[in-house]
Structure formats: C-alpha cells, structure tokens
Amino acid sequence: MASRTPSARAPSPRTQKTKQLTSGARRVVGKRSGPGWGRWALGGWLLLVLWLSIEYVRLPDVSTLLTQNPRTTALMDQRAEEASEAGRKPRVRQAWVSLGAVAPHVMDAVLTSEDARFYRHEGVDWTEVENALEQSVREARLGRGASTLTQQLAKNLYLSTDRSLLRKGKELLLARRLEDHLSKQRILALYVNVVEWGEGVYGIEAAAREHFGISARALSVAQGAMLAAMLPAPRRWLPAQRPEALRTRAGVIIGRLEREGRISGAQAREAQAELSRYFGVPPAPGLVAEASVGLPAGS
C-alpha cells in the first residue's frame, strides 16, 4: 500500500485550530484599529475646537482701539525686559501721527513690502499662505513668511515674538477680531505707529527722525522704500550700516511702486539714483527678482 506524501497529509485538529485563532485575531485587530484611529482623530479635532473657543473668549477687547491709542505694546514690554536683563536702560522713541501726516508713497511702500493685498483680505491672506508653502516645498526650506499686516499688528500689540504654534493660533484669532472691530484705515494707522523700526524705535514718525532726521511727511521715495525694506529685520537692517540686503529690497520696492502706478517713471529713476548715492554704489543695471527678496505677491 503506497504511503502518502507529506504535502497530501490532512492538517491536524491542533493546526486547524491555530489557524482559526490567528485569522480571527487579525479580524479583531483590524476591526478595532480602524475605529480606534478615527476616535483619536475626532478627539483631537474636538480638543482643538474647544481650545480655539476658549482662547477666543479670553482674547483682549480690541474695541477700545477704535478711539484710544495703546500706551504700550507686548513687543515694547518684551524689548524693555530684554534690555533690563542685559543691563541696559530700556530705550523708547515713539510719536503718534495720523496717516495724513505720512507721505503717501511711504504708506504705499509699507503695503508693497508687507501686505500687497491688505485691502482684499479679512485678516489672513490665504493666497499668500499658499504661495509661501509652495515656495518652501519647491526650495526644500522655510521660505518667506506669510503674515498679513493685521497679523503683525496683533502680535505686536498682544503677543510675544516666539514661533510656537499656540502663539500663531492666537495671532490668527486676534487678526480676525481686529478686522471685525476696526476699519482698514484704523488698523493701518495703528500698525505704522507701533511697529518696530530699530532698537527702541517704534512708529513711522520716530523712524523717520531716527534714521533720516526728518518727519514722516518729508520722507523721499527712496527713504520711504528703505524704511519699508527694514520691516522684516528692523534691528539688523539699519540704514546707517548700509546692509546690501536693505539696498536690494528697497530697490525692488521702488520698482514695484512704479509698475503699480504709485509713482511715476521719473520718480522711480530719481529714487533709484538716490538709493545708489546713499549706499555709495553705481546704479544697478536691473532689479533683483522679487521672489528672491521675499516680497508678497502683487494685488
């Protein structure tokens, strides 16, 4: 009688039972893992919504800014504390002025530099956020920031300069609240009067007098472009030190102002010539591409 080969042998009862238990365990794990992850995701989302709701209620009342100028800001307090810790006397130079007391081309330069779509968004420029993310992915590094002028104002008034996600979340909520309660002109007026323009220098009037010895109303196109170009790094890009980054960025701002019809061709040529004289270099044959200096996209 021929013997059966091992492959033809019927599985033992113990083997069958083991396979059944293993496959059953897989099914149980599969059933539990799917809904489990879903519950975690839902729980995380609910916690985020709860946190945002609580923080929104706890946000400062910005309605007082309708008629009152803040006597100090979170940024000014932070800089004073940093100076004290370093053994220096805190320095504050600030003089409140109305938008009418600032040369129009200076305001145009600030908007061109920091928030080209200021009058089109409601606190957050999602188009600029998308552009910044695409640039970061394309260049495999963190690119330019995408904070609007309103977000910058919220940070200066109420928050710190740290880069945490929680601080960014509060900044977004505050920007939304500022846009809900204040007009665009009031937001712009507050911004140009509290933003940092050097060590202990706050606001456009103090900046004009500190760096050029004149009022904000008397600033030339080139001088306004230089002040606007300082804003991404106001404590490092000082006109007196003639940094190349400041000259390059100011030149691009002047070019953008001309293309958008904010200044004439003659004004642009004179401003570029003044910029070259100030930095002691020959006039540049052409402007650097805007993307390379991180200017926001045009409106």
Side-chain angles (χ1 to χ4, degrees):
M1 182 175 179
S3 61
R4 290 190 299 177
T5 61
S7 60
R9 289 177 186 167
S12 67
R14 177 178 292 181
T15 303
Q16 288 179 329
K17 188 173 182 180
T18 302
K19 288 182 177 180
Q20 290 172 354
L21 288 173
T22 304
S23 62
R26 288 200 199 100
R27 285 195 297 272
V28 170
V29 170
K31 289 179 180 178
R32 290 180 178 176
S33 61
W37 283 109
R39 285 193 293 270
W40 275 107
L42 178 61
W45 174 252
L46 291 175
L47 285 175
L48 177 61
V49 172
L50 178 62
W51 178 83
L52 290 173
S53 301
I54 294 173
E55 288 299 322
Y56 190 79
V57 173
R58 294 171 56 188
L59 291 178
D61 179 14
V62 303
S63 62
T64 58
L65 297 174
L66 281 168
T67 57
Q68 299 177 27
N69 296 328
R71 287 180 295 180
T72 186
T73 67
L75 179 62
M76 293 169 69
D77 293 341
Q78 178 183 331
R79 295 305 188 210
E81 183 178 346
E82 290 171 352
S84 298
E85 291 176 352
R88 304 191 310 271
K89 183 180 179 180
R91 179 176 186 261
V92 177
R93 298 288 185 274
Q94 185 184 35
W96 282 84
V97 293
S98 66
L99 292 180
V102 183
H105 53 257
V106 176
M107 298 307 305
D108 289 336
V110 169
L111 289 173
T112 293
S113 172
E114 297 302 295
D115 194 350
R117 280 184 287 268
F118 174 66
Y119 289 103
R120 295 189 177 187
H121 63 68
E122 297 180 347
V124 180
D125 187 349
W126 296 111
T127 300
E128 185 61 19
V129 170
E130 182 179 353
N131 291 340
L133 288 175
E134 289 178 354
Q135 179 181 336
S136 297
V137 172
R138 186 170 59 252
E139 299 179 0
R141 65 180 180 85
L142 291 177
R144 66 178 187 271
S147 292
T148 64
L149 188 147
T150 311
Q151 288 175 254
Q152 294 179 46
L153 176 61
K155 181 178 68 174
N156 284 348
L157 287 175
Y158 303 113
L159 305 173
S160 65
T161 57
D162 73 82
R163 294 177 176 272
S164 70
L165 290 177
L166 291 180
R167 196 274 294 164
K168 195 66 176 179
K170 291 181 180 179
E171 177 187 299
L172 294 174
L173 292 175
L174 278 166
R176 177 67 263 178
R177 178 164 284 193
L178 287 169
E179 293 274 347
D180 286 341
H181 287 80
L182 307 178
S183 68
K184 286 287 189 179
Q185 291 301 94
R186 180 57 177 163
I187 291 173
L188 186 57
L190 287 166
Y191 176 85
V192 297
N193 278 287
V194 303
V195 72
E196 190 175 31
W197 252 303
E199 181 72 32
V201 180
Y202 302 95
I204 187 68
E205 182 69 16
R209 296 189 180 281
E210 174 80 10
H211 299 297
F212 301 112
I214 57 178
S215 69
R217 191 193 301 274
L219 288 167
S220 67
V221 173
Q223 291 168 337
M226 280 189 275
L227 290 182
M230 287 178 64
L231 290 171
R235 291 153 65 87
R236 292 188 293 110
W237 294 352
L238 301 175
Q241 297 179 5
R242 271 66 168 181
E244 179 61 23
L246 181 66
R247 183 180 74 87
T248 299
R249 188 178 179 91
V252 172
I253 290 172
I254 293 169
R256 173 78 72 80
L257 291 174
E258 179 188 8
R259 284 194 302 278
E260 293 180 351
R262 305 292 183 178
I263 58 175
S264 66
Q267 285 177 303
R269 288 190 294 274
E270 172 54 33
Q272 295 287 7
E274 181 182 342
L275 199 63
S276 297
R277 291 193 300 271
Y278 186 88
F279 283 86
V281 298
L287 294 178
V288 177
E290 292 175 9
S292 67
V293 293
L295 286 183
S299 56

